[in-house]
């Protein structure tokens, strides 16, 4: 059901040429070097430690590995992370 | 930046969370719209910042879920306000200081004058003071443009005046009029300014009256401004032409003459001088509009010799004159210097020549110097007469009537 809804939304976004992050509620990640990461459209924090941060998404979660990880700002749908980021991957 | 400003305006609280899975608390706070920043692990605890307004909601969530909260620090305007209320004297004093500083900056404390050479600074300051620009005047009363116009009207030697107020200082910049040199251009003679013997005559315009080697006295005509036409030839007299009239010109030329100056110099054989010992005593007085306060007294001895020097710094303010007066007493002792006759003659000669130099115009060539001792060998004062022989231009303008 969720998948078909997403497919319809994607087709509508393609047709109307609307940015997909607005329509589909999918995460938008901005990585600045290895030191900073901005993430929009998150669904909360699953796990946070100095070396690992797992952030819940609309589909699966994002795992960030590194050192001295800090959450610089946390808003209901935005997050800014700072630290020595080594890995950033999506996990279903 | 703007976010940080609003955070501080509302107050920032730094918290330390104790408990397992603090991520759960963060998510619950987020779902209730609490803005969280600077989240990091500190040992076993999670440290974070929230706004002061979100603290009750956050405490409620923490209590519901069994987390212990510790407030690490409180920053921002609301906490500063409470601190300020406790230290009312300090902040009141600071506010009073700013207020007094502002009040004092409303007055003129210094007036500077620039650009004057002929017109004295005192004259300009007096003129400015008559039109409201003086030490201690309120800046709100001053109209620079009116003062400029009034100073220009009062001091005709000035061609431009600019008054500018910079803080508590007023700069008055002036430009003076430059007059052209007043050279006499009408018909005139060149006459001798001094007695002398003519050495050289260079005629540029007019008719030379004197020759080299001639002795002239003061006021004698050297170059005449009346030029007579040349004598007519006898053959020309046959024509019945009228006789030519003499021409009146401005006599020009250089007439150099040998002139003499005499001067006098003397030197006592024994001179008593007061010499500074190097010891200085100081007396300090504070001047207030109401009273003079002695800050420090100089302990001077009754029989001592002192050279006095006073320094005065004052500022004219609306209530009156404020200032400090420092008087310095430089201790002196007597020193007697004795000259031999030869030394006294040298000193007297120097004095005589220096006296003569004031009489002689600059640029005059000195050709000879003579010395005559007037005093007897045993006299207490050596007196001498100095005579200088010089060669100079002695021509001066005398207009023709």
């Amino acid at each position: 059901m969720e998948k078909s809804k997403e497919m319809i939304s994607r087709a509508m976004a393609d047709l109307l040429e609307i940015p997909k992050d607005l329509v589909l509620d999918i995460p938008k990640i901005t990585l600045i070097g290895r030191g900073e990461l901005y993430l929009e459209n998150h669904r909360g924090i699953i796990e946070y430690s100095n070396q690992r941060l797992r952030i819940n998404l609309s589909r699966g979660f994002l795992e960030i590995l590194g050192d001295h990880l800090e959450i610089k700002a946390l808003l209901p749908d935005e997050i800014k992370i700072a630290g020595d980021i080594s890995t950033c991957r999506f996990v279903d | 930046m703007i976010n940080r400003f609003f955070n501080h305006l509302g107050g920032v609280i730094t918290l330390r969370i104790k408990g397992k899975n603090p991520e759960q608390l963060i998510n619950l706070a987020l779902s209730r719209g609490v803005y969280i920043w600077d989240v990091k692990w500190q040992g076993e605890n999670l440290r974070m910042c929230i706004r002061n307004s979100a603290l009750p909601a956050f405490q409620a969530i923490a209590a519901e879920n069994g987390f212990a909260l510790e407030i690490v620090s409180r920053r921002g305007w609301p906490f500063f306000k409470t601190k300020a209320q406790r230290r009312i004297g300090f902040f009141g004093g600071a506010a009073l200081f700013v207020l007094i500083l502002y009040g004092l900056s409303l007055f003129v404390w210094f007036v500077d004058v620039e650009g004057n050479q002929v017109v004295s600074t005192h004259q300009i300051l007096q003129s400015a003071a008559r039109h409201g620009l003086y030490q201690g005047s309120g800046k709100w009363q001053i109209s620079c443009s009116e003062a400029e116009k009034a100073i220009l009207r009062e001091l005709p030697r000035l061609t431009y005046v600019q008054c500018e107020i910079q803080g508590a200082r007023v700069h008055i910049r002036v430009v003076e009029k430059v007059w052209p040199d007043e050279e006499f251009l009408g018909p005139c003679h060149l006459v001798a300014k001094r007695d002398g013997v003519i050495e050289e005559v260079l005629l540029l315009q007019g008719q030379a009256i004197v020759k080299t080697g001639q002795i002239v006295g003061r006021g004698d005509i050297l170059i005449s401004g009346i030029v007579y036409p040349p004598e007519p030839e006898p053959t020309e007299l046959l024509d019945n032409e009228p006789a030519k009239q003499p021409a009146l010109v401005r006599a020009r030329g250089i007439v150099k003459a040998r002139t003499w100056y005499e001067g006098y110099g003397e030197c006592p054989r024994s001179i008593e001088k007061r010499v500074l010992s190097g010891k200085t005593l100081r007396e300090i007085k504070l001047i207030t509009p109401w009273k003079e306060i002695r800050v420090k007294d100089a302990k001077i001895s009754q029989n001592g010799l002192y050279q006095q020097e006073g320094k005065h710094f004052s500022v004219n303010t609306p209530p009156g004159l404020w200032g400090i007066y420092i008087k310095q007493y430089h201790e002196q002792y007597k020193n007697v210097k004795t000259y031999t006759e030869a030394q006294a003659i040298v000193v007297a000669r120097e004095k005589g020549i220096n006296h003569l130099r004031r009489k002689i115009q600059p640029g005059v060539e000195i050709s000879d110097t003579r010395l005559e001792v007037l005093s007897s060998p045993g006299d207490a004062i050596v007196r001498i007469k100095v005579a200088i022989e010089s060669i100079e231009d002695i021509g001066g303008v005398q207009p023709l009537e």
Side-chain angles (χ1 to χ4, degrees), chain B residues 71-85:
Chain B
I71 295 172
V72 178
S73 70
R74 295 168 193 264
R75 285 174 287 142
W77 173 244
F79 309 112
F80 176 75
K81 210 166 67 179
T82 25
K83 206 180 268 182
Q85 278 165 355

Side-chain angles (χ1 to χ4, degrees), chain B residues 168-321:
Chain B
R169 191 179 285 270
V170 173
H171 291 282
I172 302 176
R173 292 185 188 92
V174 298
V175 179
E176 291 170 347
K177 286 175 185 164
V178 180
W179 303 111
D181 292 337
E182 288 175 10
E183 194 197 0
F184 187 79
L185 296 168
C188 65
H189 292 309
L190 273 192
V191 296
K193 288 190 286 188
R194 295 183 59 81
D195 300 346
V197 179
I198 303 297
E199 281 285 314
E200 185 188 339
V201 179
L202 175 65
L203 181 68
L204 296 174
Q205 196 171 13
Q207 196 153 12
I209 304 292
V210 291
K211 288 176 185 168
T212 308
Q214 192 177 332
I215 298 168
V216 292
R218 188 178 172 188
D220 289 353
I221 297 173
L222 305 173
I223 299 173
S224 172
I226 304 168
V227 182
Y228 290 95
E231 288 285 322
E233 294 288 325
T235 50
E236 289 174 10
L237 285 171
L238 295 174
D239 304 333
N240 290 326
E241 280 182 14
K244 286 181 182 172
Q245 292 296 314
L248 300 180
V249 296
R250 192 225 185 270
R252 286 178 201 276
I254 298 166
V255 181
K256 284 197 172 174
R258 194 172 292 275
T259 55
W260 290 270
Y261 293 88
E262 279 190 354
Y264 170 77
E266 63 176 35
C267 175
R269 296 280 298 275
S270 168
I271 299 172
E272 189 182 279
K273 270 190 176 177
R274 289 183 173 192
V275 182
L276 293 171
S277 70
K279 192 176 170 187
T280 304
L281 300 167
R282 201 173 283 174
E283 183 183 295
I284 302 170
K285 272 192 279 188
L286 268 181
I287 302 160
T288 65
W290 308 278
K291 199 179 171 184
E292 276 192 2
I293 303 160
R294 275 178 188 275
V295 178
K296 193 184 173 191
D297 267 331
K299 290 170 188 167
I300 53 169
S301 70
Q302 292 295 322
N303 304 322
L305 293 170
Y306 296 97
Q307 184 189 348
Q308 295 182 15
E309 187 191 357
K311 284 179 188 170
H312 191 243
F313 308 99
S314 63
V315 177
N316 204 355
T317 61
L321 197 73

Side-chain angles (χ1 to χ4, degrees), chain A residues 44-45 48-49 71-72 74, chain B residues 23 26-27 36-39 41:
Chain A
I45 295 165
Y48 170 50
S49 70
I71 301 170
K72 280 290 178 192
L74 189 56
Chain B
E23 296 89 349
I26 292 172
N27 289 333
I36 302 167
W37 70 96
D38 280 349
V39 184
W41 281 101

Side-chain angles (χ1 to χ4, degrees), chain B residues 258-261 365-370 387-391:
Chain B
R258 194 172 292 275
T259 55
W260 290 270
Y261 293 88
E365 178 193 336
I366 295 170
S367 58
D368 194 15
T369 310
R370 268 175 303 192
I388 284 177
E389 191 182 277
S390 66
I391 295 170

